[in-house]
Amino acid sequence: MKKIVLLLGALLLANGSAFAACDYECVAPYDMNSKFRTFLGSASGFNFLSEKTTQVIVRKAISKSITSDDLKVKLDSYSSKDLKNGIFKSLSITGNNVSVKDIYLSYLDMKTLCDFNYIRQNGSDMFFVEDFPMSFDIRLTASDINKTMKNERYQRVINDFNKLAKSYGAGIQISSTRVAIKSNKFYYIIGVTIPFVRAEQKMVITSDIVVRNKKIDFTNTQLVSNIFRLDLHKVDFILNYLNPLDFSVNILDNKDAKVSVNNVSIKNNMIYTDGVAVIPKD
């Protein structure tokens, strides 16, 4: 049971970003309890009781690290002994209004993709005996993204950009950022400070969102505000450098995981994105 709790803590409390094609292969079960013992456990109801007990423990462990409305955890095991050894059939996690390490999502749904999942624990370390793939379904509102952009790690992204801009000698610095979604169109509003200009200036960028090279990217980028004259290549560079959508998807990345975005769209002024995250075996 403790192995499963550690797994979820590692998967959900993630840092960094590693996007790549998420190729994985499900393996045939091995190192498992005998079929007879599994049958006895199932017939006696002990397996069912073990699963329910583990689900409660996992849910409590997750709740210590994340906040969510209506958090649901479902675990399906082969037997209580296999579960104790870190072997299980499937795991799913769903929640509304999720917050993990100051990353906000209106909806999160994660499911294992293989029927055989195997994790071992050695002391406080956790080892993935086989690749561990999970699908994810995420929904984001403009409010979610704006709250996430207050995250200290995202502010470091802005600071890095300001250092880069400073090297060009123009003196323009980003002082604030926020997004809006109107008529299913994505808007990124950047507040900038300009030398010898007292008031903050607003640069408004609008764009469609697409999946390119398995990550969220922008297309048909346009500069809406007319206070600056920038070519579209520079506007596109700014938007992709500060990309708050990739930052939000980083919730899934951990232990050199490969995160691959399959689809992204805007419907009813909400961003929908799904894909696959694979933690490679150790």
Side-chain angles (χ1 to χ4, degrees), residues 12-13 61-68 71 93 98-101:
L12 288 173
L13 301 182
I62 295 174
S63 297
K64 292 179 181 178
S65 304
I66 74 173
T67 60
S68 172
L71 181 68
I93 308 162
V98 176
S99 171
V100 184
K101 295 184 74 173

Side-chain angles (χ1 to χ4, degrees), residues 1-13 53-65 73 75 83-84 86 88 91 93 119 121 124 126 128 132 254:
M1 295 180 185
K2 189 175 181 181
K3 297 178 180 69
I4 309 301
V5 173
L6 289 175
L7 165 66
L8 293 175
L11 189 63
L12 288 173
L13 301 182
T53 302
T54 302
Q55 286 174 185
V56 172
I57 293 173
V58 169
R59 190 181 188 283
K60 287 183 178 179
I62 295 174
S63 297
K64 292 179 181 178
S65 304
V73 176
L75 186 142
L83 186 59
K84 185 178 179 180
F88 55 97
L91 174 70
I93 308 162
I119 302 106
Q121 183 184 353
S124 60
M126 183 171 54
F128 290 78
F132 189 79
N254 181 77

Side-chain angles (χ1 to χ4, degrees), residues 110-158:
M110 299 176 66
K111 293 183 177 70
T112 51
L113 293 172
C114 293
D115 292 332
F116 175 79
N117 301 280
Y118 197 176
I119 302 106
R120 280 179 177 165
Q121 183 184 353
N122 183 6
S124 60
D125 295 325
M126 183 171 54
F127 298 92
F128 290 78
V129 183
E130 298 294 341
D131 288 352
F132 189 79
M134 292 192 84
S135 65
F136 64 85
D137 179 357
I138 291 175
R139 298 170 196 173
L140 297 157
T141 63
S143 176
D144 295 328
I145 301 169
N146 286 327
K147 287 188 291 185
T148 295
M149 288 195 299
K150 296 178 182 178
N151 187 306
E152 181 180 343
R153 285 175 292 149
Y154 186 76
Q155 292 303 311
R156 286 203 294 267
V157 174
I158 294 175

Side-chain angles (χ1 to χ4, degrees), residues 22 34 63 84 97 122 128 160 184 225 231 236 255 279:
C22 283
S34 69
S63 297
K84 185 178 179 180
N97 299 322
N122 183 6
F128 290 78
D160 289 342
N184 292 330
S225 56
D231 63 54
D236 190 62
K255 202 177 172 64
I279 298 178

